[in-house]
Amino acid sequence: MSQNIRRPVTFGVVIGSRAFFSPAPCKAARDEVLAQLEKIGVKAVILPFEATANGAVQSIPDAELYARHFKAHRDEIDGLVICLPNFGDEIAVAELVNRAKLNVPILLQASNDEIDKVDVHSRRDAFCGKFSVANNFWQYGVPFTETTTHTCDVGGAEFGADLERFARVCRTVRGLKNARIGSIGARTAPFQTMRFSEKLLQASGMTVVTADLSELLQAAGAIDDADPDLATKLEKLKAYGKIPAHIQPGQILKQAKWTLAVNRWIEENGCDASAIQCWRSLQDNFGCATCVTMSMMGEELMPSACEVDVIGAVSMYALALASGQPSALLDWNNNYGYEPNKCVCTHCGNYPKSFIGDTPEIGELDVLGETIGRAKCFGAVKGKVKAGPMTYFRLSSDDRNGTLKCYLGEGAFTDDPFGMDGGIAVCEVPELRKLMKFVSYNGFEHHVAMVRGHVADVLNEAVVRYLGWPIYTHGGEPEPQLLTPHRF
């Protein structure tokens, strides 16, 4: 299967220096940033130290040299890290970025001065120089990411955390700008909610690859019982969760064939995520559910959304990229008594098992099974999501305004009981009513993607700084606004 999400992150590394400042910090900054990147498993593209004076970029010829080097590694580089151990040469740095034209995220770091080392031979002035580089980026129209504090030590823990976070941002931006999303089957007729614009996704770099459900049904039906890949898939399916004793071997075999057919199609088409017509044609015409198929792909960081919610699949993929963890698609489904900040999020049974946190049961769809017969509905992954922090995200296509739009926030899964079948997540979100009002007024779908852990800062940075989609970050601090005074 395609595993773009697992590709190691690579940074182009730049040490910016102004020639008449002390060159001594340049070598130390270079060594320290490379050590930091090695520690977090990020590859570095940088010229040999001897290629430029002090191993730094401090002139137009240096900028051109680095720009050519980065162009040669264009397909590898996911982001640029620019360190200013002293004031830095603003024109050299800006021209390097402009000439390389990588169009990747940039992390701009400036080093601390030491209070007892500010004489003419020791001072750095990077605190000031960072503004000059940032100003040139503004003039050139180049977005960049700030460090946690305006200046920091290259070898310090704070910058190490900034680099790790930035790597996640770069992985998210790279993944979303090049994503291929599989769309298997037609939108279920009663779910007009799932309509979306392929063209708006394509404008952001994402391609939707379609297949008629009949193609996959035929492929699944044609798999020979003696196919060695089927035997492997069957064993994996049996080991994935607890299967009730009344489930017949033929039902499990049928589910394994469907899963294998979907997996092969995903691989053949290079898809990073997918959305599937999960009811009811599959159950009526082949005799199984697709929940466990989606769950197993999600566990392998290849998210799959039900009800052909293609943009729901993109939302899941965004969270998986940002966190490196399996994500799930849920309904904002039920109130939780009279608790103002709690609700219940559910789905029939597509959650990855590590998203649930326990070994799940693999049984039949409950609601649909009552209607068409449970024998046709094996393949639902059932379990209650364990307590812990979570992040939620929803992307949507706003055709009225010609843009993608999204909302984002953090909350928690709780251990509160709830006696409903399927996949259950009792959620607590601060100011939930405010969020639900926003979702309702702005025409968002009832589906929402969630992942374990808090990664809203990563996704917010990716969207606000580099992807450019309108976003509401629930509970987030709004960025300061530029004010223009008016004489009265």
Side-chain angles (χ1 to χ4, degrees), residues 16-18 21 57 84-90 93 124-126 129 133:
S17 174
R18 180 161 284 187
F21 279 81
V57 172
L84 305 177
N86 60 37
F87 191 97
D89 189 297
E90 63 198 71
V93 170
R124 296 171 180 259
D125 289 11
V133 174

Side-chain angles (χ1 to χ4, degrees), residues 12 47 229:
L47 283 169
D229 291 340

Side-chain angles (χ1 to χ4, degrees), residues 16-167:
S17 174
R18 180 161 284 187
F20 52 76
F21 279 81
S22 171
C26 294
K27 178 66 163 62
R30 176 192 175 100
D31 292 344
E32 288 170 346
V33 70
L34 294 179
Q36 291 267 34
L37 295 180
E38 184 178 8
K39 185 177 179 181
I40 62 173
V42 171
K43 297 181 178 180
V45 174
I46 188 171
L47 283 169
F49 181 80
E50 298 77 16
T52 60
N54 308 315
V57 172
Q58 52 190 30
S59 67
I60 293 298
D62 292 345
E64 178 60 26
L65 191 64
Y66 262 82
R68 287 201 304 267
H69 185 60
F70 288 162
K71 281 181 180 179
H73 295 271
R74 179 183 301 278
D75 293 339
E76 301 168 46
I77 296 174
D78 302 304
L80 292 180
V81 175
I82 300 174
C83 294
L84 305 177
N86 60 37
F87 191 97
D89 189 297
E90 63 198 71
I91 296 175
V93 170
E95 278 298 313
L96 185 163
V97 172
N98 191 49
R99 295 179 187 207
K101 290 182 169 57
L102 299 179
N103 296 322
V104 295
I106 296 171
L107 180 64
L108 181 60
Q109 180 272 346
S111 293
N112 286 315
D113 265 309
E114 297 176 63
I115 293 176
D116 60 346
K117 295 180 180 178
V118 290
D119 58 274
V120 70
H121 300 294
S122 305
R123 60 191 287 184
R124 296 171 180 259
D125 289 11
F127 191 103
C128 183
K130 187 174 187 179
F131 291 123
S132 294
V133 174
N135 175 268
N136 277 265
F137 281 168
W138 177 270
Q139 294 183 49
Y140 284 67
V142 174
F144 69 95
T145 291
E146 266 277 25
T147 47
T148 300
T149 53
H150 185 67
T151 55
C152 58
D153 298 329
V154 179
E158 179 186 293
F159 186 53
D162 283 339
L163 286 168
E164 196 276 337
R165 189 182 306 109
F166 183 63

Side-chain angles (χ1 to χ4, degrees), residues 259-279:
T259 301
L260 180 58
V262 170
N263 291 166
R264 284 174 170 172
W265 185 86
I266 293 288
E267 185 170 8
E268 288 166 6
N269 289 277
C271 294
D272 302 292
S274 60
I276 301 176
Q277 182 187 345
C278 59
W279 63 279

